Amino acid sequence: MLFSKLFSKTERSFPKDEEATNAKFLIRGGFVRKMSAGVFTYLPLAQRVLNKINTIIREEMNSIGGEELLMPALISKEYWEKSNRWEVDIIYKLKTQFDEEFGLGWTHEEPISAIAQHFIQSYKDLSKVVYQIQNKFRSEVRAKNGLLRGCEFMMKDLYSFHTSKEELDKYYNVVIKSYAKVFKRIGLQTLVVEAAGGAFTKEYTHEFQVLSSAGEDIIFYCEKCRYAQNKELVGETGMTVCPKCSGSVLSGTAIEVANVFKLGTRYSEAFNVKFLDESGVSKPVVMGSYGLGPTRVLATLVEIFHDDRGIIWPKSVAPYAVHLISLGKDSKVLVAVKKLYQDLENHGVEVLYDDRECTPGEKFADADLIGVPVRVVVSEKTLALKKLEVKERSEEKVKMLSSAELFKIFEL
């Protein structure tokens, strides 16, 4: 991609009305545009990151038996009433010119239960697992922290249907392990935290939390075995000694990036989702619900991986693999950099080539701000040495490498 052709542009300064680090860097770097409080447009650079996050999520959800579908965001009042959730504070309500009432989907237990009722009749139909990646809507009275708490956000929600609590428990642990793989691949260190079920279930649930000063949750966690609990579950005093290994307990603020719930039969009973067991007895299906927020993950990555110059994207989700810069107007430099650009692209390496006529300082500043993992500079100096100036965004040291050595970084 040529820098001069990017739809968005970087900005010289941070937005004055933003306090959150993620919003500051994402807006200034041309990744997102704020439309109103808690509502953002994800520009092409951010969309590339989201696509990579979602690819990792899809691969891991598919590996544990998930089938992808897409449900409507516009959900009729009748579905919310069946579960007694029409009156929740966070739902956006709409009334049409025909006096029909809808709620915008902030979660999808109701629709998926109504759908499942048509396809599950026998124990032979179970277990079933489906998921979607879709925008959700929540009327947040305190939309803040940039993309971490928004009124519209992207969510991967997975739903499982089982014959028994034992089968649900087994699959619940499968999802927890799968989520751990997702975050490891993305580059985030998470804690699996016990929490209260809130509006979803009376059972304990589990959250995936990333320690960060930008977080809104307070968690207590064991240094030794990593067992953790949310403050909302354990109260003000929290844990003092780990109940699992007697290790030392620390507390900290954290960002919730995913959660898992054992729904039991609450929604299957409300929507008459039943199956006949092997003896011909009708029983309610036992359900689980599992959420993971791609847009929140994107914001969390910025909170965790940045310095005073800009973002430092992990390689697995970076918008481009290489930020290519040419210095000077010498024709040999331009020929060399264009050839390198084409060679990298021909080998499947995603390149952002800064072809603009601007100062070296501006090019270097934008490279740091955007945060592509590898910066490559071609100049008269590098040509004379038959080398390339290569610097990883996460390091300060600059290396002089040959083209072959550069390609080796990408195993080409």
Side-chain angles (χ1 to χ4, degrees), residues 125-382:
D125 298 322
L126 300 168
S127 295
K128 296 288 188 185
V129 182
V130 291
Y131 73 95
Q132 65 175 350
I133 298 176
Q134 184 216 47
N135 280 14
K136 297 286 193 283
F137 303 85
R138 299 188 184 184
S139 179
E140 293 283 2
V141 294
R142 53 193 179 101
K144 61 178 184 177
N145 287 357
L147 283 66
L148 291 176
R149 180 177 287 278
C151 299
E152 181 178 359
F153 55 94
M154 188 178 290
M155 176 68 70
K156 187 286 304 174
D157 42 328
L158 179 143
Y159 304 92
S160 65
F161 303 84
H162 309 276
T163 59
S164 65
K165 184 180 184 302
E166 291 72 25
E167 286 299 315
L168 169 61
D169 291 345
K170 188 184 299 183
Y171 191 74
Y172 185 88
N173 290 325
V174 168
V175 177
I176 288 178
K177 291 178 181 178
S178 181
Y179 273 18
K181 290 179 182 178
V182 168
F183 292 117
K184 183 177 181 180
R185 290 179 63 184
I186 289 172
L188 286 174
Q189 291 187 347
T190 56
L191 285 163
V192 181
V193 181
E194 286 186 354
F200 289 88
T201 176
K202 293 180 180 179
E203 287 202 47
Y204 289 162
T205 65
H206 291 85
E207 302 165 342
F208 282 76
Q209 298 269 11
V210 177
L211 290 169
S212 169
S213 60
E216 293 185 298
D217 290 347
I218 297 175
I219 63 171
F220 297 90
Y221 60 99
C222 175
E223 282 188 283
K224 185 177 179 181
C225 72
R226 307 293 281 177
Y227 174 73
Q229 291 184 333
N230 193 302
K231 179 182 176 181
E232 292 183 354
L233 177 66
V234 297
E236 290 292 333
T237 56
M239 291 190 297
T240 54
V241 177
C242 177
K244 301 292 184 181
C245 71
S246 300
S248 300
V249 172
L250 299 176
S251 65
T253 56
I255 301 169
E256 181 186 338
V257 289
N259 47 46
V260 291
F261 302 91
K262 295 178 182 179
L263 299 176
T265 61
R266 174 183 172 181
Y267 295 94
S268 56
E269 289 178 342
F271 287 86
N272 198 35
V273 188
K274 297 182 178 180
F275 71 99
L276 295 177
D277 68 9
E278 294 182 52
S279 302
V281 177
S282 179
K283 295 180 178 179
V285 170
V286 182
M287 294 174 57
S289 174
Y290 320 83
L292 192 160
T295 46
R296 181 173 282 197
V297 167
L298 181 145
T300 303
L301 287 168
V302 178
E303 292 288 345
I304 301 300
F305 301 112
H306 73 272
D307 57 21
D308 60 352
R309 301 190 301 274
I311 305 168
I312 308 171
W313 293 110
K315 292 180 180 179
S316 61
V317 295
Y320 292 92
V322 172
H323 194 126
L324 181 59
I325 293 175
S326 62
L327 299 182
K329 297 181 180 181
D330 186 280
S331 60
K332 291 181 180 179
V333 172
L334 296 177
V335 169
V337 76
K338 287 178 181 178
K339 183 180 185 303
L340 179 59
Y341 173 54
Q342 198 62 58
D343 287 345
L344 287 166
E345 287 219 320
N346 288 343
H347 284 86
V349 179
E350 297 171 316
V351 184
L352 178 60
Y353 167 33
D354 194 339
D355 60 328
R356 298 174 299 169
E357 293 186 4
C358 59
T359 68
E362 288 175 304
K363 291 187 177 185
F364 290 145
D366 280 345
D368 284 341
L369 177 60
I370 292 172
V372 170
V374 177
R375 188 189 76 194
V376 177
V377 177
V378 180
S379 66
E380 291 182 47
K381 175 185 174 182
T382 65

